[in-house]
Amino acid sequence: MQQAGIKFKDFKRVVFFTGAGLSVESGIPTYRGQGGVWNEYRWEDYACERAFRRDPEGVWDFHEKQRAAAAACEPNEGHSIIAELQRLRPDTAVITQNIDGLLQRAGCTQVTELHGSLWRLRCPRDREVHEDFSIPLASRKCDCGAYWRPDIVWFEDPLDNNALDAASDALSSCDLLVSIGTSGAVYPAADLPRIAMAGGATSVEVNPDETMVSHLYDVTLRGPASKMLRQMFE
Ligand code: OAD
């Protein structure tokens, strides 16, 4: 169903579920489709624990490039509208698969990061996690001698239980779910919107293209994130 009439003000509790498409208007490529990261790079070489064990320098070269690219981009109007709604209505939940940190840079204070963050490092040996925004990194290794690992949920990694719990809590108590810019190709994240749907929330997909999960949504808004969010914010 196409419906232009969905407005945030008509709902009590909104949850955003976002993917790479939200950051396209900032200049960050998606993962799949034309120009997608996984068309240029094999994730098996750069985005899984096995690759990191085999070639930590190569995996870090890839991630340092992604950090530099994300740092050079600015949040777009879509990020800002989400942040503004969360500012006006603090119970607005934001669940993202994005690792670029742009929602936080736009002013979102509560973001559930399902797939981790480019801006956090984790020591695989002593489990220490810390934020680091330096480009390039001062060191790719912890004081203990082990390579820092990007605190990212790579392919074949389990999702963090706390993030999953926070996401399910928010999804089970919302009356509007707005899914933005995700292909719905990556599980288990792609299944999470079903929690809101099962709870009776109105579900909206924002995406210029049809996806493999479009049929699940009550409303599909075909267009770029910023324009569709602006219409809903009015
Ligand atoms: P994908 O690259 O799979 O999908 C991006 C979606 O954004 C596509 O459906 C596009 O049609 C849509 N899109 C493009 N431009 C848009 C725009 N201006 N406004 C709105 N939507 C737009 O990205 P994800 O679904 O986020 O994992 O991918 C899921 C996960 O796969 C990512 O989190 C990533 C990747 O491996 C990690 O980074 C760990």
Side-chain angles (χ1 to χ4, degrees):
M1 188 196 352
Q2 279 275 0
Q3 191 174 313
I6 294 278
K7 304 282 180 202
F8 296 131
K9 61 178 163 48
D10 296 331
F11 295 87
K12 288 200 182 72
R13 196 156 192 183
V14 182
V15 172
F16 293 101
F17 178 77
T18 75
L22 176 63
S23 296
V24 161
E25 292 168 80
S26 294
I28 298 182
T30 57
Y31 291 96
R32 297 168 187 80
Q34 209 185 1
V37 174
W38 303 140
N39 293 338
E40 192 180 341
Y41 298 92
R42 275 165 40 91
W43 66 259
E44 293 88 341
D45 294 333
Y46 299 104
C48 64
E49 185 67 31
R50 285 180 292 137
F52 185 61
R53 291 208 181 133
R54 199 167 54 235
D55 180 16
E57 286 290 334
V59 169
W60 262 119
D61 287 345
F62 171 78
H63 283 85
E64 290 234 50
K65 214 169 149 189
Q66 283 210 308
R67 284 162 65 97
C73 293
E74 295 298 325
N76 65 58
E77 189 186 359
H79 297 107
S80 300
I81 290 172
I82 294 171
E84 178 63 2
L85 196 71
Q86 197 176 54
R87 190 184 69 76
L88 295 170
R89 294 161 55 170
D91 64 357
T92 302
V94 181
I95 302 165
T96 191
Q97 298 165 86
N98 298 350
I99 57 175
D100 56 31
L102 288 183
L103 281 160
Q104 292 87 338
R105 280 172 58 199
C108 285
T109 47
Q110 297 288 335
V111 181
T112 298
E113 294 180 312
L114 292 173
H115 290 164
S117 171
L118 273 172
W119 307 108
R120 280 194 309 273
L121 310 182
R122 184 169 88 219
C123 176
R125 201 175 284 163
D126 57 30
R127 316 307 292 175
E128 190 206 326
V129 179
H130 72 280
E131 284 195 326
D132 187 316
F133 296 93
S134 57
I135 295 173
L137 286 175
S139 170
R140 291 179 174 185
K141 289 185 178 174
C142 173
D143 288 344
C144 76
Y147 275 97
W148 291 113
R149 182 206 193 284
D151 192 29
I152 291 172
V153 178
W154 282 326
F155 287 92
E156 301 166 348
D157 288 343
L159 260 62
D160 176 71
N161 278 332
N162 291 333
L164 269 177
D165 287 349
S168 348
D169 283 353
L171 287 159
S172 52
S173 58
C174 69
D175 60 350
L176 177 66
L177 162 72
V178 185
S179 172
I180 307 167
T182 178
S183 61
V186 173
Y187 289 83
D191 261 341
L192 290 174
R194 290 175 189 267
I195 297 173
M197 294 164 184
T202 298
S203 57
V204 180
E205 177 185 62
V206 175
N207 199 308
D209 298 321
E210 186 166 350
T211 70
M212 54 186 94
V213 291
S214 294
H215 63 281
L216 298 174
Y217 287 83
D218 298 320
V219 177
T220 51
L221 298 179
R222 295 275 168 257
S226 60
K227 183 175 173 205
M228 299 298 119
L229 285 166
R230 202 184 311 134
Q231 285 174 4
M232 283 188 273
F233 194 73
E234 282 165 357

